[in-house]
């Protein structure tokens, strides 16, 4: 049903839960996963995201990471169009909730 699923990554406190839920969908539909982050690409963030991918045991052969800079909504939609994404998963908090 969904050949390509994208997850908008914002490094929010919910990131691990979002990755876990998206992984479930990727496995269910045997889809390719596109991770999209809009913001400056730094060595620290690259390492953090690679660690999250490894910890979640995402399929490396079916996972692609895209880094973009600009307005988040516009850049996420642009990446989805470019990659021909069938389903976009997004959900982030700007601050920690206690």
């Amino acid at each position: 049903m969904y050949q390509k699923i994208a997850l908008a990554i914002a490094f929010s406190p919910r990131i691990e839960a979002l990755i876990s839920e998206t992984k479930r969908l990727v496995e269910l539909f045997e889809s390719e996963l596109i991770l999209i982050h809009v913001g400056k690409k730094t060595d620290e963030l690259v390492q953090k995201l690679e660690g999250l991918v490894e910890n979640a045991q995402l399929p490396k052969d079916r996972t692609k990471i895209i880094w973009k800079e600009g307005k988040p909504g516009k850049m996420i939609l642009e990446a989805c169009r470019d990659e021909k994404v069938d389903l976009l998963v997004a959900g982030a908090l700007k601050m920690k909730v206690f």
Side-chain angles (χ1 to χ4, degrees), residues 14-31:
R14 298 188 59 217
I15 191 169
E16 290 176 351
L18 289 167
I19 289 173
S20 178
E21 182 60 21
T22 305
K23 178 184 176 186
R24 187 184 69 79
L25 293 170
V26 165
E27 290 173 346
L28 178 67
F29 296 110
E30 298 178 358
S31 305

Side-chain angles (χ1 to χ4, degrees), residues 2-81:
Y2 300 111
Q3 293 179 15
K4 288 190 179 183
I5 297 175
L7 172 60
I9 298 285
F11 297 101
S12 75
R14 298 188 59 217
I15 191 169
E16 290 176 351
L18 289 167
I19 289 173
S20 178
E21 182 60 21
T22 305
K23 178 184 176 186
R24 187 184 69 79
L25 293 170
V26 165
E27 290 173 346
L28 178 67
F29 296 110
E30 298 178 358
S31 305
E32 182 180 338
L33 175 60
I34 311 292
L35 301 175
I36 305 166
H37 176 69
V38 179
K40 189 161 178 88
K41 183 179 181 180
T42 66
D43 291 340
E44 180 183 349
L45 290 179
V46 169
Q47 287 179 342
K48 185 173 184 175
L49 186 52
E50 287 174 354
L52 289 165
V53 167
E54 188 174 317
N55 288 343
Q57 298 178 337
L58 295 174
K60 292 182 182 181
D61 61 327
R62 294 189 343 236
T63 301
K64 181 177 183 178
I65 300 173
I66 295 175
W67 298 83
K68 290 194 166 275
E69 289 190 39
K71 293 186 178 186
K74 182 178 179 181
M75 295 295 102
I76 291 167
L77 292 176
E78 181 180 287
C80 287
R81 276 192 298 271

